[in-house]
């Protein structure tokens, strides 16, 4: 059972019932081309070697697994922090950006487009585009541009063009729509560098694969440090890329529990939160549906219109969650309790955690809140 | 003519769409497919617009089900969807609208939707209600034949045509698969990109239509970027119908009242239909 989870997706891009490819016809052939190019790259030692070199010398891998001694003292359990914030551009996003940009180069694409919410994915995309000398255009909701001005400047500094999206909720979801509109128009010359484990097949698989290095390193490092596997993994879930990146290497370790933290926003009603996977806790409005190319849990109205979300974090506003993170609970054998459950975080709780982290471990001042 | 030889057992043309294309073929006349977003500015207004389009000579009317995230559409239809949603349009409301139109008009009606609203209603329930209301076909923008197996069986079982999109990027192999999954007509996207009026037709369109003709005997309607009589006239030598959407939706946006919008829509469709009947679009009978 767990093996099946680890080898997902199947040939149709399905993670159990989730995933797939729901796109306008114009995008099907390009997605098939991408799927084939990715399969070939995956099997090519030269590609993997080049990527490893870039991850080491451009991004700064491996990242440390820091023992948070004072936080451990404060809370009890021995706590380690996987310091993805120390990577170039300040977040895990660069792992996937390097992989996809290298693939785009292989496919002969000279133009990169991306969406961004908080700006971390946009900044990472701008950096790799600059590294490869590619034209780069980043779509960003105007609401997000306002609250993440510094990241907008960083993208521009690295030569990217940032396009404000004024449609809908003017946040990440609308930036993705606009990036897909650009891609469907310029598909022959352009690679869409999607930054979350979302979208049509092969994106969820590809983004997961490029991030699974997080968990592979962490697993080696914790075994070295503690001589045993952890009891619990904790990751925040917006689109789900860093969560699946950490969890994936531990999927066959049945003793390791996994906890995803979603944005609890300010209330339980649809529109007040961004929790897709926490219906058991009373958060309403999340049901399986099709959005932006994939079948997954989506915050929506009874009529199937996509809902607005609430989170103080621009990165956590997105209505769908990854098809592959969603698949954990339902995919585990019935005699084993679900291993990936989700908990909510409220703004106040998050500030508290952030303060504790910053003061007691001197860690992530740029923690992706 | 124009029944799909591979998809289903051979039956006489039964849907209004199929009958309309047969008539057009007999008259060797270019068809006009008109798209409106249902519920913009209200469902009542849409009803009066559809009746005006029918009067003006539209051969098929596509009713767009408004969706919050219309990622295949350009700005004109996006804005129109937002107006319709703000005015309270829902899929059940659109189906009631179809029933109401059907009591007054025999114009072939296609429901044009993104997949999620249909999925949330349930495909079986949607197909039954659409057929009961008097719809004739369904086109789902973000559903390709590969993901549409059960959808297609269900929708066809209720006697509705399933129309799929063919694109410039579609390979010959895919075009054959799309043709096999389609009935009524094939909707050929004229260019890569989103919906929206443009000045000219793409140069590679004739080649695309030739590729489609090689794999299908279904009537071909060409859409995306069509708004001018000259475009319809040129298309007459190539395709069986032209689809006009964004240009009509913009007439509604710019009109000062529902009455003015209705007049403008009627006038626009008459001009386009006239271009389809005359000039360059006249084809040799039986060609």
């Amino acid at each position: 059972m767990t093996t099946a989870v680890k080898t997902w997706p199947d040939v149709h891009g399905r993670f159990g019932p989730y995933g797939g490819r729901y796109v306008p016809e114009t995008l099907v052939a390009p997605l098939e081309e991408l799927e084939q190019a990715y399969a070939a790259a995956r099997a090519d030692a030269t590609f993997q070697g080049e990527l490893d070199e870039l991850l080491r010398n451009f991004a700064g891998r491996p990242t440390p697994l820091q023992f948070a001694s004072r936080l451990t003292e404060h809370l009890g359990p021995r706590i380690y922090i996987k310091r993805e914030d120390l990577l170039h551009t300040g977040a895990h996003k660069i792992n996937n950006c390097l992989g996809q940009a290298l693939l785009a180069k292989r496919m002969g694409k000279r133009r990169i487009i991306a969406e961004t919410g908080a700006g971390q994915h946009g900044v990472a995309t701008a950096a790799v585009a600059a590294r490869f000398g590619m034209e780069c255009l980043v779509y960003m909701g105007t609401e997000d541009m306002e609250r993440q001005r510094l990241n907008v400047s960083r993208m521009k500094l690295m030569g990217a063009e940032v396009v404000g999206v004024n449609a809908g909720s003017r946040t990440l979801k609308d930036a993705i729509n606009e990036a897909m509109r650009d891609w469907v128009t310029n598909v022959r010359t352009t690679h869409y560098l999607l930054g979350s484990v979302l979208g049509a097949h092969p994106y969820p698989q590809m983004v997961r694969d490029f991030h699974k290095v997080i968990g592979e390193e962490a697993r080696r490092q914790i075994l070295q440090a503690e001589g045993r596997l952890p009891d619990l993994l904790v990751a925040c879930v917006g689109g789900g890329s860093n969560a699946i990146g950490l969890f994936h290497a531990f999927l066959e370790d049945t003793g390791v529990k996994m906890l995803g933290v979603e944005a609890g926003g300010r209330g339980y009603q649809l529109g007040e939160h961004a929790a897709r996977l926490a219906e058991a806790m009373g958060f309403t409005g999340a049901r399986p549906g099709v959005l932006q190319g994939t079948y997954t849990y989506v915050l929506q109205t009874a009529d199937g219109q996509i809902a607005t979300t609430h989170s103080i974090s621009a990165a956590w506003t997105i209505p769908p969650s990854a098809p592959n993170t969603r698949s954990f609970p339902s995919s585990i054998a019935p005699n084993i309790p679900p291993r990936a459950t989700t908990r909510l975080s409220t703004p106040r709780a998050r500030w508290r955690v952030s303060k504790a982290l910053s003061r007691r471990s001197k860690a992530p001042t740029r923690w992706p809140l | 003519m124009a029944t799909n030889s591979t998809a289903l057992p051979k039956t006489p043309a039964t849907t209004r769409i199929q009958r309309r294309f047969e008539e057009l073929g007999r008259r060797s006349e270019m068809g006009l497919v008109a798209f409106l977003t249902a519920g913009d500015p209200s469902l009542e207004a849409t009803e009066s617009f559809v009746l005006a389009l029918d009067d003006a000579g539209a051969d098929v009317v596509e009713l767009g089900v408004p969706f919050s995230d219309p990622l295949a559409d350009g700005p004109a239809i996006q804005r129109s969807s937002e107006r319709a949603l703000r005015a309270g349009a829902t899929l059940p409301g659109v189906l009631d609208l179809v029933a109401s139109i059907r009591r007054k008009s025999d114009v072939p009606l296609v429901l044009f939707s993104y997949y999620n609203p249909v999925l949330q209603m349930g495909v079986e329930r949607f197909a039954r209600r659409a057929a009961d209301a008097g719809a004739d076909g369904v086109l789902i923008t973000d559903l390709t034949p590969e993901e549409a197996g059960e959808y297609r069986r269900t929708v066809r079982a209720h006697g509705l045509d399933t129309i799929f999109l063919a694109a410039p990027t579609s390979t010959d192999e895919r075009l054959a698969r799309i043709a096999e999954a389609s009935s009524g007509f094939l909707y050929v996207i004229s260019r890569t990109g989103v919906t929206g009026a443009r000045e000219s037709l793409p140069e590679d369109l004739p080649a695309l239509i030739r590729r489609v003709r090689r794999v299908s005997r279904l009537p071909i309607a060409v859409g995306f970027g069509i708004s001018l009589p000259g475009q319809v006239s040129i298309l007459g030598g190539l395709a069986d119908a032209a689809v006009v959407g964004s240009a009509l939706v913009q007439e509604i946006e710019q009109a000062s009242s529902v009455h003015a919008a209705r007049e403008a829509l009627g006038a626009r469709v008459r001009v386009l239909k006239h271009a389809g009947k005359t000039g360059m679009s006249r084809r040799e009978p039986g060609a």
Side-chain angles (χ1 to χ4, degrees):
Chain A
M1 213 56 182
T2 46
T3 312
V5 177
K6 198 159 182 181
T7 57
W8 278 346
D10 65 15
V11 289
H12 305 292
R14 295 276 174 181
F15 299 80
Y18 305 105
R21 184 179 282 161
Y22 298 89
V23 290
E25 173 61 25
T26 307
L27 289 179
V28 175
L31 283 164
E32 284 176 350
E33 186 195 340
L34 181 63
E35 183 185 351
Q36 283 156 16
Y38 176 56
R42 227 181 154 198
D44 178 355
T46 317
F47 177 87
Q48 291 301 337
E50 251 180 283
L51 181 56
D52 287 347
E53 192 275 331
L54 285 162
L55 287 172
R56 247 190 342 269
N57 299 322
F58 183 76
R61 299 214 75 92
T63 57
L65 185 72
Q66 178 196 346
F67 178 57
S69 57
R70 295 195 56 221
L71 200 60
T72 293
E73 245 169 65
H74 182 62
L75 294 173
R78 297 176 67 75
I79 296 169
Y80 284 82
I81 303 170
K82 181 63 176 159
R83 297 293 304 273
E84 291 294 295
D85 59 303
L86 294 179
L87 286 170
H88 180 36
T89 68
H92 70 292
K93 294 291 186 185
I94 195 88
N95 302 325
N96 168 53
C97 289
L98 279 172
Q100 284 197 45
L102 204 56
L103 187 62
K105 188 181 129 199
R106 222 177 128 100
M107 293 173 75
K109 310 271 182 184
R110 300 290 306 154
R111 182 172 176 268
I112 298 278
I113 58 168
E115 82 296 339
T116 196
Q120 296 288 16
H121 176 61
V123 170
T125 303
V128 299
R131 166 68 182 72
F132 289 104
M134 290 165 167
E135 187 190 340
C136 178
L137 198 148
V138 179
Y139 290 95
M140 188 170 189
T142 48
E143 172 86 24
D144 288 340
M145 283 177 82
E146 189 55 36
R147 52 184 171 180
Q148 304 287 345
R149 253 169 291 179
L150 182 60
N151 280 336
V152 174
S153 311
R154 290 173 77 197
M155 286 181 257
K156 288 181 177 166
L157 188 64
M158 288 184 282
E161 188 185 336
V162 183
V163 179
V165 178
N166 242 324
S169 57
R170 299 192 296 248
T171 58
L172 182 54
K173 161 180 86 78
D174 310 286
I176 294 178
N177 288 342
E178 213 50 44
M180 287 186 81
R181 289 186 185 112
D182 180 317
W183 199 37
V184 83
T185 307
N186 302 299
V187 68
R188 289 175 173 123
T189 58
T190 298
H191 175 70
Y192 177 17
L193 208 165
L194 183 59
S196 292
V197 274
L198 295 172
H201 181 59
Y203 278 104
Q205 174 191 12
M206 197 163 67
V207 177
R208 175 201 68 194
D209 289 352
F210 288 137
H211 280 307
K212 69 182 184 192
V213 64
I214 303 171
E216 287 166 356
E217 278 177 18
R219 196 173 181 282
R220 269 197 310 275
Q221 289 165 322
I222 194 72
L223 285 174
Q224 196 169 23
E226 291 283 329
R228 54 164 291 204
L229 290 170
D231 301 302
L232 177 67
L233 302 170
V234 185
C236 61
V237 183
S241 66
N242 91 91
I244 193 70
L246 177 66
F247 293 170
H248 193 257
F250 295 89
L251 285 180
E252 282 161 6
D253 303 320
T254 46
V256 179
K257 290 199 183 80
M258 299 167 190
L259 182 70
V261 183
E262 296 191 280
R266 59 188 169 210
Y268 290 94
Q269 293 309 306
L270 187 61
E272 295 183 333
H273 63 88
R276 287 72 34 96
L277 310 177
E279 59 273 41
M281 298 180 69
F283 285 80
T284 57
R287 285 194 315 282
V290 166
L291 179 66
Q292 292 165 340
T294 194
Y295 178 69
T296 187
Y297 267 60
V298 178
L299 288 164
Q300 55 181 316
T301 67
D303 295 318
Q305 304 297 337
I306 308 310
T308 53
T309 58
H310 182 80
S311 167
I312 56 164
S313 156
W316 286 19
T317 55
I318 191 160
S321 75
N324 36 9
T325 50
R326 176 61 223 182
S327 298
F328 289 130
S330 58
S331 63
I332 305 300
N335 55 341
I336 306 167
R339 301 181 38 227
T341 52
T342 55
R343 291 283 179 276
L344 276 300
S345 96
T346 60
R348 235 171 82 202
R350 244 175 299 154
W351 283 122
R352 241 175 15 234
V353 171
S354 178
K355 240 162 67 183
L357 277 168
S358 303
R359 291 184 185 174
R360 291 177 201 275
S361 66
K362 291 202 295 184
T365 48
R366 286 173 300 181
W367 195 256
L369 265 175
Chain B
M1 66 159 254
T3 46
N4 189 337
S5 55
T6 51
L8 286 176
K10 223 157 165 89
T11 48
T14 50
T15 70
R16 287 184 193 84
I17 297 168
Q18 292 164 15
R19 287 198 296 273
R20 180 62 63 106
F21 275 104
E22 281 188 6
E23 284 162 29
L24 288 167
R26 275 197 297 276
R27 299 201 296 262
S28 65
E29 182 180 313
M30 177 70 167
L32 189 73
V33 179
F35 170 96
L36 291 179
T37 304
D40 170 27
S42 69
L43 290 168
E44 298 73 44
T46 305
E47 176 170 331
S48 77
F49 296 161
V50 172
L51 298 176
L53 296 174
D54 184 19
D55 275 351
D59 293 294
V60 175
V61 174
E62 291 179 343
L63 282 174
V65 177
F67 184 53
S68 54
D69 293 74
L71 55 82
D73 286 298
I77 293 178
Q78 281 180 58
R79 287 197 300 271
S80 149
S81 299
E82 283 173 20
R83 289 192 297 270
L85 289 173
R86 271 201 304 275
T90 60
L91 181 51
V94 175
L95 292 170
D96 290 344
L97 168 67
V98 169
S100 182
I101 293 169
R102 189 50 78 220
R103 285 193 286 273
K104 294 159 191 147
S105 162
D106 209 35
V107 70
L109 290 172
V110 174
L111 287 163
F112 197 105
S113 183
Y114 288 83
Y115 194 33
N116 200 50
V118 169
L119 195 62
Q120 299 309 319
M121 176 176 276
V123 176
E124 165 64 33
R125 196 156 148 244
F126 162 77
R128 194 179 61 240
R129 290 181 64 172
D132 288 351
D136 304 292
V138 186
L139 193 161
I140 306 284
T141 316
D142 50 355
L143 201 58
T144 57
E146 286 83 351
E147 299 282 8
E150 201 188 320
Y151 155 85
R152 190 179 147 237
R153 278 188 295 279
T154 308
V155 170
R156 289 274 196 104
H158 287 276
L160 297 165
D161 280 321
T162 51
I163 297 135
F164 285 88
L165 299 167
T169 50
S170 308
T171 58
D172 289 347
E173 189 193 351
R174 287 197 55 73
L175 289 178
R177 204 176 305 158
I178 291 160
E180 196 188 315
S182 299
S183 65
F185 63 95
L186 266 174
Y187 188 130
V188 174
I189 298 173
S190 69
R191 66 186 72 231
T192 59
V194 293
T195 56
R198 286 164 186 92
E199 291 295 312
S200 60
L201 291 169
E203 277 174 24
D204 53 2
L205 183 59
L208 172 61
I209 292 174
R210 273 198 301 277
R211 287 205 294 131
V212 177
R213 293 269 190 225
R214 275 203 288 274
V215 294
S216 174
R217 296 185 57 221
L218 284 172
I220 291 176
V222 175
F224 280 42
I226 316 289
S227 62
L228 305 167
Q231 294 170 328
V232 174
S233 183
I234 292 165
L235 273 178
L238 298 166
D240 303 292
V243 188
V244 185
S246 297
L248 300 182
V249 162
Q250 273 167 310
E251 296 282 11
I252 296 171
E253 185 169 46
Q254 284 155 13
S256 55
S257 67
V258 169
H259 175 76
R262 192 164 57 232
E263 296 291 309
L265 288 172
R268 173 75 82 130
V269 164
R270 261 186 292 275
V271 169
L272 294 171
K273 184 63 192 178
H274 181 71
K277 280 182 177 169
T278 57
M280 289 174 70
S281 74
R282 285 296 291 272
R283 289 178 298 151
E284 297 299 317

